[in-house]
Amino acid sequence: MSIRLHHVPFSRSFRVLWMLEELGLEAEIIAHSIRKGTMRAPEVRAISPAARAPAIEIDGLTMIESGAILEYLAETHPEAGLGVAAGAPDRAKYLQLMHFAETQAGLIEHLNMQHVFLRDPALISPTVIKLNTKRLQVTMAALEGMLGDHEFLLPTGFGAADIMMGFNLYSAPYYVTLSEYPKLEAYRARLEARPAYQAARAKDGAQEFYTQDFYPIPEGA
Ligand SMILES: N[C@@H](CCC(=O)N[C@@H](CS)C(=O)NCC(=O)O)C(=O)O
């Protein structure tokens, strides 16, 4: 099997990197930079038309969308038990988590735009930052409720849904305080203890967006 992953360090393509490690699959990693715009090269756009990471090539098949890629990898490697098959009792919960991860990641992306990528202060809206930070807090509380006192998100154990949602728990804390969600904090520590997580981090590369540990809501917003 030949796999090439178009990857931006510390981005959603980390989900795919982590999934590949969980499955024990080797991949060639093509590292990209959002700041340098390397995803916009015509040969990359041919695979990822919206110039976004991740994009993956598996034996000539090309795919974008981290959630779809994880579902595809889970389905094509059922022996690993990282997905939940159609008809199984937790299927609906599994699909919900796979998609809820992008509701949350979308909020983080909006905050990244405001805090990190817009350079002209005149373009930044403290009101939008406040609104999206509050919305992110709501998703964190919701996720903590979904996790409850379980080890992982589904009773079937660790799987693709934990990778989708778990990845968010590394970027959300730039905008919300993780210790306010103690169950999520402990869950993140359990995820970090996984050898596949650690192997994926070792291949991830340095993030190039955040220049401070925490970005608060601007005063007066
Ligand atoms: N829903 C897509 C989102 C992909 C996406 O937006 N990726 C970001 C990195 S996290 C990206 O490549 N952004 C490039 C840009 O905004 O120019 C997925 O889950 O794969």
Side-chain angles (χ1 to χ4, degrees):
M1 186 179 245
S2 148
I3 305 178
R4 275 157 60 95
L5 172 66
H6 292 267
H7 173 62
V8 169
F10 212 75
S11 81
R12 289 168 174 105
S13 52
F14 180 76
R15 291 171 172 155
V16 181
L17 204 51
W18 184 1
M19 181 77 173
L20 292 170
E21 289 296 330
E22 293 284 352
L23 293 170
L25 296 174
E26 281 294 322
E28 180 190 351
I29 298 167
I30 320 281
H32 289 279
S33 159
I34 291 182
R35 289 217 185 273
K36 292 185 189 141
T38 60
M39 293 288 295
R40 295 201 288 270
E43 64 276 17
V44 184
R45 269 198 199 271
I47 301 163
S48 181
R52 290 182 174 234
I56 198 166
E57 302 171 63
I58 307 172
D59 290 336
L61 168 90
T62 65
M63 271 187 95
I64 55 170
E65 291 296 331
S66 58
I69 295 167
L70 262 59
E71 285 183 45
Y72 178 80
L73 288 170
E75 284 172 23
T76 49
H77 297 83
E79 67 289 350
L82 297 178
V84 178
D90 288 315
R91 173 73 170 181
K93 246 187 210 168
Y94 165 71
L95 292 176
Q96 177 177 285
L97 285 163
M98 296 297 283
H99 292 262
F100 184 54
E102 275 300 277
T103 292
Q104 190 173 64
L107 291 167
I108 296 167
E109 182 178 328
H110 286 304
L111 288 165
N112 286 344
M113 184 62 76
Q114 292 280 325
H115 281 290
V116 176
F117 288 111
L118 289 178
R119 294 193 189 269
D120 178 354
L123 297 176
I124 295 167
S125 165
T127 306
V128 171
I129 290 178
K130 184 177 175 180
L131 187 68
N132 279 332
T133 304
K134 299 276 177 207
R135 285 158 70 98
L136 181 59
Q137 288 166 355
V138 170
T139 65
M140 291 292 280
L143 181 61
E144 186 156 77
M146 290 175 192
L147 178 66
D149 292 317
H150 300 109
E151 195 178 4
F152 298 111
L153 288 167
L154 291 172
T156 39
F158 176 85
D162 295 294
I163 296 178
M164 283 299 287
M165 294 293 330
F167 159 75
N168 295 353
L169 297 182
Y170 294 90
S171 38
Y174 285 97
Y175 306 122
V176 299
T177 305
L178 190 61
S179 58
E180 288 175 9
Y181 311 93
K183 290 181 202 291
L184 294 184
E185 198 173 31
Y187 168 62
R188 196 179 84 159
R190 284 195 290 283
L191 295 175
E192 268 167 16
R194 297 185 70 78
Y197 170 88
Q198 290 165 17
R201 271 295 174 228
K203 293 182 180 174
D204 186 15
Q207 66 88 9
E208 59 168 6
F209 328 117
Y210 305 110
T211 54
Q212 53 195 70
D213 292 339
F214 187 72
Y215 294 82
I217 296 172
E219 278 184 31

